[in-house]
Amino acid sequence: MLMAIAENKAGRISIPGTDGSVSWREVFRRSEDLLTAVFFGRLQYLSDAGINRVLGVLIGQEAADSLGTLRTVECWPHLTGLEDRRWVEPDVLLHFECGLVLIEVKPPFGGDQYLKQWQAEVHSLVAECRSGERSPPEIVHFLALGRNTLPVGAHALDDFRTEGCFELSVHTREWEAILAAIPTWTSECSRGDAAVFKDWIRAFELFGLHYEVPRYWTELLTKEGSTVSLAPLSWWQVGNSAGATQAACSRPTEKPWIPLLQFVRDNSLELNTWK
């Protein structure tokens, strides 16, 4: 289904009560739940090494190594136990051999992460552990993925009441960190893991996230190093900047040097005396 959506082959959905319709592509872009499903639903298809690489980016390599084997992926679990709410629904709960990873997902554009939502999810998990509905884990890593606007360290562990049920660590990460790491993962992984990473790239592109291959003006130097050739520009990717070192969500129209790339692709031009 993801392939059909990415290639605009999934058709359109009628809007109830109107004569209008919307493409599946646009539906996907508007839904954080679909992004969650594509990303974390495929996590369990990775090899143990692949899962470890991903968790290393999300919560840090030392923490990822200590979790052990992934057992189950629970999407949109209903956590009960809070007195003033029937249930709380975090986006993902990853069950590992030695702990849990509780995840709140925000898409690249839309609403921001906020502390009260995090607290409700952690406190609901605590309530279930205290009531006996869930076995207390040794450690819980809470991950806020996407749309973190407060500086690192702004949220202290004192903001959460764990009642001694488990050790808690809080992590904030952006989607760009995953996008930037995927090329390295792909070069070192099995064919099965590479297929999952490729699906993730497709999903990210639907949300306007594109990996930018780092490019530097020194690449224009000839082998002799004394002249500059514009030929390499023809295979440069349109990205955030000529010297970018990580993925970024950006609009091509904001890059003043893009017309130069297009000119080079349309014309055979060399500046052999440019030094």
Side-chain angles (χ1 to χ4, degrees):
M1 185 63 178
L2 176 63
M3 185 182 298
I5 293 173
E7 299 297 331
N8 261 334
K9 297 296 184 180
R12 303 179 67 83
I13 302 174
S14 298
I15 302 176
T18 72
D19 295 330
S21 63
V22 62
S23 69
W24 266 104
R25 188 183 184 93
E26 186 59 30
V27 170
F28 188 95
R29 283 175 53 85
R30 295 179 185 180
S31 174
E32 69 178 62
D33 288 341
L34 289 176
L35 178 60
T36 299
V38 167
F39 186 76
F40 289 101
R42 283 166 168 75
L43 185 67
Q44 57 196 326
Y45 298 118
L46 292 174
S47 65
D48 289 343
I51 293 171
N52 182 264
R53 289 188 182 102
V54 176
L55 263 291
V57 169
L58 293 178
I59 64 173
Q61 196 58 57
E62 183 177 354
D65 292 342
S66 68
L67 283 173
T69 304
L70 176 65
R71 290 177 172 170
T72 59
V73 176
E74 191 178 357
C75 290
W76 309 291
H78 283 187
L79 303 182
T80 60
L82 290 187
E83 295 181 358
D84 57 339
R85 302 179 67 168
R86 292 180 60 191
W87 70 73
V88 173
E89 188 181 79
D91 290 300
V92 184
L93 190 58
L94 302 178
H95 297 255
F96 284 87
E97 182 181 5
C98 300
L100 300 176
V101 181
L102 181 65
I103 305 169
E104 179 57 34
V105 174
K106 299 296 182 187
F109 51 84
D112 295 331
Q113 300 276 359
Y114 57 98
L115 179 60
K116 286 186 177 180
Q117 186 176 25
W118 301 1
Q119 289 173 323
E121 294 171 3
V122 171
H123 295 163
S124 291
L125 184 60
V126 170
E128 286 198 349
C129 291
R130 287 175 61 84
S131 69
E133 293 183 48
R134 189 182 295 269
S135 298
E138 295 179 20
I139 186 170
V140 172
H141 293 276
F142 180 87
L143 169 65
L145 178 57
R147 302 295 297 176
N148 291 286
T149 58
L150 294 179
V152 175
H155 302 295
L157 292 180
D158 291 341
D159 294 328
F160 303 90
R161 302 186 307 275
T162 61
E163 310 291 346
C165 287
F166 46 73
E167 182 183 346
L168 177 68
S169 294
V170 178
H171 312 268
T172 58
R173 292 292 184 273
E174 299 304 319
W175 292 103
E176 286 85 358
I178 302 169
L179 190 59
I182 286 179
T184 301
W185 297 341
T186 303
S187 67
E188 302 170 350
C189 70
S190 66
R191 187 170 65 178
D193 284 3
V196 171
F197 298 147
K198 186 176 181 180
D199 277 355
W200 285 355
I201 291 291
R202 284 175 172 159
F204 292 155
E205 288 176 347
L206 290 170
F207 276 85
L209 289 169
H210 302 274
Y211 178 72
E212 177 181 341
V213 178
R215 298 298 183 200
Y216 304 92
W217 293 113
T218 53
E219 294 180 10
L220 304 183
L221 293 175
T222 61
K223 292 181 179 180
E224 293 77 15
S226 59
T227 60
V228 170
S229 169
L230 296 183
L233 286 175
S234 63
W235 45 263
W236 273 24
Q237 297 294 318
V238 174
N240 189 43
S241 67
T245 58
Q246 63 180 8
C249 178
S250 54
R251 299 178 182 176
T253 55
E254 296 174 354
K255 303 173 182 61
W257 48 270
I258 286 179
L260 175 60
L261 299 190
Q262 191 59 54
F263 181 83
V264 170
R265 289 170 181 148
D266 294 341
N267 301 272
S268 178
L269 176 66
E270 294 300 330
L271 299 179
N272 294 325
T273 59
W274 185 16
K275 300 182 179 180

